[in-house]
Structures are given as C-alpha cells and as structure tokens.
C-alpha cells in the first residue's frame, strides 16, 4: 500500500538548513534554521553533540547588500554576531553578551577574527555606502578602508600582518567585475600601503585567503572561477587547470569553497553538471570524495581533518568530517536520511542558441502514477544563481501528488562558466524564457511530461521569468509568482543599492533600450497572459514592494485574466514562517489542479 502523502504542514515544518560553518581550531560552529520560524540560530559541536550556543539568543543574520553572509565570528572562545535587527553583540565565556555601542541602523556582515589584535573585522553598510572596519569588545571602531562602492571577503594572514579583500563599483555586480586588494597592517592594526591587484583580464574575483603569507583567490578572468596564487607584485599563477567553476555566484559574503589542510593536502569544490563535488589533493594527486553530494560549501580545517557543509538529494543538510588521506567521511551533525525521497535525474538539453547545453533536474512522480504526468517547472531566483539537487521537501510534495518537477539551470545560471553566466546580459525575459520553452518541448517529446498540463512557478526574479514564460505562448496551463518581479522599472526605482545597476545589465539601459523594457515588463502587457495566475506577496517586502504585485493583479483583472492573490502581513522578501509556506503550497496545488482540468 502506498504511503500517505505528507501534508503541506508536515513538508514545511520538516526542513532544517545549515550555513556559515566556522571553526576556531577546536570547536565547529554553524547557523541552523528553526523549522517553524525559519530564523537562523548559532549552533556548535559540543562534546555531547550539536547544541545551540548558550548566550547567543535570537536570530543571527546579516543584511549587508540585502543578502547577508558572514553574520558571526569566533575569536578564542569569544563570539561576535549580528542580530536580526542588525545590532552587533559580543559574548565572552566568562561574561554575558553585550550590545556594542555603534549599532546605528546600518548593516554588518563578512565578520572575520583578527586573533593577533583581539578584534573582529567586518563590512559596514550605511546609507551613504560601505567601508571595511575593525571593532573590539570594548566598543572601539576603526575604519580600515573606504572609498569603494562595495566591500567583501576580508581575510587576514596568520601572522596578522597582511589583509586582503574584494571590492566592486556600480553598476557592476560582484560576479561580473570586481577587484582584489592587498594591504599591510601596522602594529596598531591600521592599513598601510593598500594596493589593487588587477586580474590579467576582466573578471570576477572572490574568496581570497592566505596560506602562510601566500595569497590565494578564485578568479574567472579566463572563463571559469579557478584557483590562483597572486604575488605582491601582481603575478597570477593558476593552481588548477580544470575548466570548471570552483565556486558559485557570490550573492553572500564569507562563502568558502576551498581550504588548505596542511602539508600538500588541499580541499576544494568543483561544480559539474549542476552538482557541487568535493575534491582533495595529496602526495598521490587529486581525487574526488565519493558521497552522493548535491552541494558542498563552508570548507574549514578541523584539527587534522576537513569539515564542511554537505547537502544531499535524500538527506537533510549535514556537517561532515573528511579524512584528507582517504576521503572517508562521517556525519557530525544533521544529515538525517529522508525515507522514500524522490531523487532527480540530471539531464542535458540542447540550448536554443547552440551554446552550452542546459542542465535540468527532472524529478519523476512517485511510482504508480499514470504517464505522462503533469509537470511543475521551477524557476530559481537571482537570476544569476543556480538550482541544485539538494533535498527540497516542497519538491517532494508535488511528486507525491502525481506531478513531475522540472528544475532548470537556464542561461545566466552560475556554475557553468563565465560565458554561460554572461549570456543573460540584456536578454532577461528572453533567453531564460527560450530555455524553459526548449526544455518543455524536449521533455514532452520524450514522454516525461504531459504537454497539456504544464505549470510554472518562480520566486523573486524567478517569478518574473515565470510570468514572461506564461506570456510567451500556450506552453503553460497556469503560473505562480511568489513575491516575484512584475515591473522591472518600478523595481529599478525602489530596489536597494546593491542591485541598483543590475536591471540595466539584464535588460539594457532604459534610455537606449526602451522597447526592451516595455516588451519585457509583464505589468505593461497583461493582455498577453494566456493562463490563470496566482500571486503570493508579503506586506513587509522591501525588495519587490507590495504595490508592484498589487498593480500587476489589477492590470490582469482589468484584462479579464483569472487571477488570485494572497497577502501576508508578517512576511518580507522570501517567506520564512512554516505556516505561510504551507498555505502557499496548498493554495498553489489547488490552483494548478483546477487549471489543469
């Protein structure tokens, strides 16, 4: 007898996500979401197992650039962290947590420990811009560098004498063009002789780190994010000739996809066909760690071993420990196996432009369902992000109800090289839509999906692509937009500083490309929608402001479309509360089922 499908409430309450793994040489720390609220708490690995860190109450979250990252640092048993409201806190083992005095309404992220000076470095974001700063538990604040539009990834050498970071300037995004900086620190910890180390060709640099006094960095100036060693006189030596990305797009600060394990042992991540692979090197050459991983990140040295965060198609997120010599690994926290999880098949579909094939994750419905099944197409956000095969209980919800799920890494997605990522330039709402249409036709021709019952669902920027796809023909029976973009021009006027130039990159400057903006704005072309549409919007959303969704719904109703909209007073951009996520799932399932009849 088939098992009873999980309810939407069970699905949304059953996911725990981990991020930002850190170590202080003895203890491992990470952020872990609470299933009900979605808030991230700080955990550590105690002698008795994983437990929340005592004295660090409430959510830990950075809001720098809107997407955060680097929300805490560990300094010889002391912890500095950013609270939900962007106040800074410091806790020592011998004393209670105290709020630092310069929490003034800005945002903080990219926190890094400076052990030599017993302070923490951070990116500080204020209304007028960003700066690189250092702070102590006593409330002293020192500006180390300013004058650049954006800062990221500060890192300090083991002897405390060298500092490196990344910066970029408007209208660039950090995955398009950024700069590597190197500076000396004097005895007082002030920056001395800061200089930019330009890439040999235009590119994006990320994740600088020191090995001794040697500076390592990932750069894509030769087409892929590959590891380089950079000398003080700006000589770049590539350390790995594999033509693949070794990181994803740096939407958040403080990502870590590589580390040194001492001696000749190195660890790094390599992306291939949508999967994040873990690789090690030693005296006998490089080898891949076998583990069935969907994604790996947060690499840190833990004693004589490697620790990292691993995601799987059929397990919850896990903190794992890996032996550098053998590649054998063990779970330290999380990683509960999910019974009967539907595991995707990774497919390649020819790209409409004849370029790099499109990578697709196809999740079949549970066994016993009639074929070909109805299909839900998921559109990831960003759009310069990516989708992975990591366990997603909401995907399982659809599969258990007889739907196939199709998750597409369309042009612009990261993990497939610079050319593929940049191919979305001025083509948003066109190239991504062409890719989705091509995948829909191929899978229908193969009998994997029912051509008469195809649905599309997107979040944020993915909501925009979903709407544009639904307006481009009769391929889809219904569309769902979760806090999705419907009017890029309105978003351009209201979005935060980090993305203020991104829309021009995606659509072209509106002064020189007015037709593109008009043709590829769903709110200005409501009559083109060929199918019913359902919207979900948080009233606290400061990215896609509520009025944008409200105007889109009004326009569709005036055009005679079947439209449904649900509002949430307690949500912003990206729903975190389990009960609201469950409501979205149930409402979307009902809406799509009715539209497909």
């Amino acid at each position: 007898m088939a098992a009873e499908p999980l309810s939407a409430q069970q699905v949304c309450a059953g996911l725990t996500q981990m991020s930002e793994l850190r170590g202080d040489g003895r203890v491992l720390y990470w952020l872990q979401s609470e299933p009900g609220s979605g808030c991230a708490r700080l955990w550590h690995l105690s002698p008795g197992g994983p437990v929340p860190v005592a004295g660090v109450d409430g959510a830990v979250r950075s809001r720098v650039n809107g997407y955060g990252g680097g929300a805490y640092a560990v300094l010889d048993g002391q912890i500095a962290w950013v609270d939900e409201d962007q106040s800074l806190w410091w806790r020592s083992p011998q004393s209670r947590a105290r709020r630092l005095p310069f929490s003034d309404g800005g945002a903080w992220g990219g926190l890094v420990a400076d052990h030599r000076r017993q302070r923490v470095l951070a990116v500080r974001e204020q209304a007028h811009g960003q700066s690189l700063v250092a702070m102590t538990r006593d409330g002293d604040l020192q500006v180390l560098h300013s004058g650049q539009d954006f800062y990221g990834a500060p890192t300090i050498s083991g002897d405390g004498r060298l500092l490196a970071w990344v910066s970029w300037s408007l209208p660039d995004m950090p995955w398009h063009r950024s700069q590597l900086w190197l500076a000396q620190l004097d005895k007082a910890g002030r920056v001395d002789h800061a200089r930019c180390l330009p890439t040999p060709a235009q590119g994006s640099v990320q994740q600088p780190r020191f090995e001794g006094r040697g500076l390592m960095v990932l750069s894509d100036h030769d087409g892929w994010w590959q590891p380089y060693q950079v000398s003080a006189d700006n000589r770049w030596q590539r350390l790995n000739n594999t033509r693949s990305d070794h990181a994803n797009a740096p939407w958040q600060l403080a990502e870590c996809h590589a580390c040194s394990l001492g001696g000749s042992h190195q660890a790094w991540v390599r992306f291939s066909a949508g999967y994040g692979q873990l690789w090690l090197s030693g005296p006998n050459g490089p080898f891949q760690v076998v583990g069935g991983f969907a994604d790996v990140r947060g690499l840190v040295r833990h004693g004589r071993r490697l620790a990292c965060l691993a995601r799987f198609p059929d397990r919850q997120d896990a903190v794992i420990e890996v032996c550098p010599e053998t590649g054998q690994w063990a779970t330290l926290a999380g990683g509960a196996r999910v019974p009967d999880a539907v595991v995707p098949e990774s497919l390649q579909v020819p790209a409409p432009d004849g370029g790099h094939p499109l990578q697709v994750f196809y999740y079949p419905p549970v066994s016993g369902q009639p074929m070909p099944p109805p299909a839900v197409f998921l559109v990831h956000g960003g759009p310069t992000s990516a989708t992975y095969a990591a366990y997603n209980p909401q995907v399982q919800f659809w599969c258990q109800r007889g739907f196939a799920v199709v998750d597409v890494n369309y042009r612009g997605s990261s993990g497939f090289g610079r050319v593929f990522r940049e191919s979305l330039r001025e083509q948003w709402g066109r190239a991504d839509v062409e890719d989705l249409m091509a995948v829909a036709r191929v899978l229908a021709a193969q009998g994997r999906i029912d051509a008469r019952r195809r649905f599309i669902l997107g979040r944020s920027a993915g909501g925009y692509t979903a709407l544009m796809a639904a307006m481009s023909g009769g391929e889809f029976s219904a569309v769902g937009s979760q806090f999705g973009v419907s009017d890029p021009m309105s978003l351009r006027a209201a979005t935060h500083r980090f993305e203020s130039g991104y829309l021009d990159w995606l659509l072209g400057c509106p002064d020189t490309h007015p037709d593109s903006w008009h043709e590829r704005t769903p709110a200005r072309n409501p009559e083109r929608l060929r199918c019913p549409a359902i919207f979900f919007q948080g009233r606290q959303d400061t990215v896609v402001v509520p009025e944008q969704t409200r105007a889109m719904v009004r326009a569709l109703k005036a055009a005679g479309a079947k439209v449904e909209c649900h509002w949430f007073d307690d949500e912003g951009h990206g729903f975190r509360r389990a009960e609201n996520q469950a409501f979205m799932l149930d409402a979307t399932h009902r809406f799509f089922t009715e539209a497909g009849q």
Side-chain angles (χ1 to χ4, degrees), residues 84-308:
E84 180 83 21
D85 65 359
Q86 297 308 282
S87 58
L88 273 166
W89 292 78
W90 196 298
R91 193 217 71 171
S92 300
Q94 299 80 19
S95 61
R96 297 179 61 183
R98 58 187 296 266
R99 187 176 185 269
L100 298 183
F102 35 77
S103 303
D104 54 1
W108 306 81
L111 273 62
V112 173
D114 180 352
H115 295 274
R116 182 178 180 182
R117 299 171 184 86
Q118 290 295 292
R119 63 182 186 174
V120 168
L121 312 185
V123 175
R124 184 187 196 186
E125 183 173 74
Q126 297 172 287
H128 62 273
Q130 293 185 354
S131 56
L132 196 61
V133 302
M135 52 194 170
T136 68
R137 59 173 295 182
D138 297 325
D140 296 326
L141 183 71
Q142 182 182 67
V143 176
L144 299 176
H145 200 271
S146 61
Q148 301 295 304
D149 287 342
F150 298 94
Y151 288 83
T155 184
I156 193 166
S157 61
D159 61 9
R161 297 178 179 179
L162 296 174
L163 174 67
W165 67 89
V166 171
S167 75
W168 64 98
S169 300
L170 291 171
D172 291 334
M173 300 300 286
W175 49 83
H176 172 58
R177 179 166 48 200
S178 55
Q179 296 177 315
L180 175 66
W181 289 77
L182 178 65
Q184 296 177 349
L185 295 175
D186 63 19
K187 292 183 179 180
R190 296 183 296 260
V191 164
D192 188 19
H193 300 302
R195 57 200 180 281
C196 178
L197 302 176
T199 52
Q202 179 176 297
S204 160
V205 293
Q206 58 169 305
Q207 301 184 30
R209 60 188 174 91
F210 287 99
E211 292 185 13
R213 292 177 65 85
L215 178 58
M216 312 297 170
V217 69
L218 297 173
S219 175
D220 74 347
H221 65 266
D222 195 34
W224 306 84
W225 274 309
Q226 294 171 287
Y228 290 83
Q229 182 169 5
V230 186
S231 65
D233 58 355
N234 203 39
R235 287 178 294 170
W236 293 67
Q237 178 186 357
R238 187 163 52 207
L239 303 177
N240 187 326
N241 291 322
T242 305
R243 305 288 287 175
S244 63
D245 278 337
H246 290 61
N248 50 21
W251 281 92
Q252 294 184 311
L253 305 180
E255 289 277 24
C256 185
H257 288 86
C259 76
S260 173
L261 302 175
S264 61
H265 293 289
Q266 301 283 331
W268 67 91
V269 177
R270 180 190 299 172
F271 288 93
S272 177
Y275 288 89
Q277 303 172 344
L278 179 60
W279 284 76
L280 298 171
S281 69
N284 298 321
F287 63 96
Q288 183 183 350
V289 176
V290 177
F293 309 124
D295 186 25
V296 183
R297 59 188 62 200
L299 277 60
V300 300
R301 185 176 178 178
H302 182 52
R304 299 180 61 185
R305 298 195 165 216
L306 168 72
C308 57

Side-chain angles (χ1 to χ4, degrees), residues 352-353 358 410-412 420 423-438 465 506 520:
D353 67 346
L358 305 175
Y410 51 82
R411 271 175 283 173
F420 188 82
S423 63
L424 198 62
R425 183 170 191 165
E426 299 184 359
Q427 298 299 314
W428 193 36
R430 180 178 295 157
D432 46 344
V433 170
E434 290 176 356
D435 291 351
L436 288 163
M437 296 297 196
T465 298
L506 289 167
R520 287 184 263 159

Side-chain angles (χ1 to χ4, degrees), residues 298-577:
L299 277 60
V300 300
R301 185 176 178 178
H302 182 52
R304 299 180 61 185
R305 298 195 165 216
L306 168 72
C308 57
L309 293 174
R311 292 174 178 160
F312 306 83
D314 56 355
R315 298 187 188 190
Q316 298 273 10
D317 289 1
V319 178
I320 67 171
E321 185 180 64
V322 185
C323 173
E325 290 83 12
T326 66
Q328 297 295 311
W329 61 275
T331 301
L332 300 178
R337 191 175 292 277
V338 180
D340 302 319
V342 178
V343 176
E345 182 180 353
S346 181
L347 308 174
Q348 285 197 339
V349 173
D353 67 346
H356 192 289
L358 305 175
Q359 191 274 324
V360 180
F361 289 115
Y362 172 80
Y363 296 80
V366 296
S367 59
Q369 299 294 336
M371 296 293 282
V376 176
F377 282 69
L378 300 182
V379 188
H380 69 70
T384 310
S385 184
T387 187
Y388 305 100
Y391 172 70
N392 181 345
Q394 297 195 26
V395 168
Q396 307 297 316
F397 173 91
W398 290 104
C399 293
Q400 290 178 359
R401 283 156 179 80
F403 289 78
V405 174
V406 182
D407 215 351
V408 182
N409 277 312
Y410 51 82
R411 271 175 283 173
S413 303
S414 63
F416 305 91
R418 183 178 178 87
V419 171
F420 188 82
R421 192 173 66 251
E422 299 248 319
S423 63
L424 198 62
R425 183 170 191 165
E426 299 184 359
Q427 298 299 314
W428 193 36
R430 180 178 295 157
D432 46 344
V433 170
E434 290 176 356
D435 291 351
L436 288 163
M437 296 297 196
V439 171
R441 289 190 292 269
V442 168
L443 296 187
Q446 293 176 350
R448 293 176 181 268
I449 63 174
D450 187 343
R452 299 168 301 170
R453 293 181 296 165
R454 295 185 291 214
F455 311 91
I456 190 164
L457 182 63
R459 301 161 59 92
S460 190
Y464 168 85
T465 298
L467 286 169
M468 288 299 299
M471 290 179 162
S472 297
E475 301 283 351
F476 297 101
S477 301
V479 58
S481 173
Q482 300 173 349
F483 39 90
V485 177
S486 55
D487 188 344
M489 186 63 76
S490 297
L491 182 64
R492 184 178 187 265
T495 193
H496 47 81
R497 184 169 167 268
F498 174 64
E499 292 182 278
S500 59
Y502 191 29
L503 287 163
D504 287 14
W505 189 91
L506 289 167
L507 291 167
C509 175
D511 295 334
T512 56
H513 296 72
D515 292 343
S516 295
W517 281 75
H518 184 273
E519 293 170 5
R520 287 184 263 159
T521 294
R524 296 186 182 184
N525 301 278
E527 71 285 351
R528 287 167 46 191
L529 187 68
R530 310 280 183 87
C531 63
I534 186 169
F535 293 82
F536 302 90
Q537 179 67 47
R539 297 187 190 274
Q540 299 179 25
D541 197 333
T542 59
V543 179
V544 177
V545 294
E547 178 54 34
Q548 182 164 150
T549 297
R550 192 175 292 116
M552 182 68 196
V553 170
R554 282 198 305 264
L556 288 174
K557 287 183 175 179
K562 179 182 178 181
V563 60
E564 188 174 302
C565 187
H566 299 276
W567 296 89
F568 299 84
D569 293 332
D570 55 352
E571 295 285 7
H573 192 67
F575 289 7
R576 296 199 294 172
R577 300 183 67 86

Side-chain angles (χ1 to χ4, degrees), residues 52-75:
V53 175
V56 181
D57 300 322
V60 178
R61 184 184 186 188
S62 165
R63 295 180 185 269
V64 168
N65 300 329
Y67 299 95
Y72 74 97
V74 181
L75 179 67

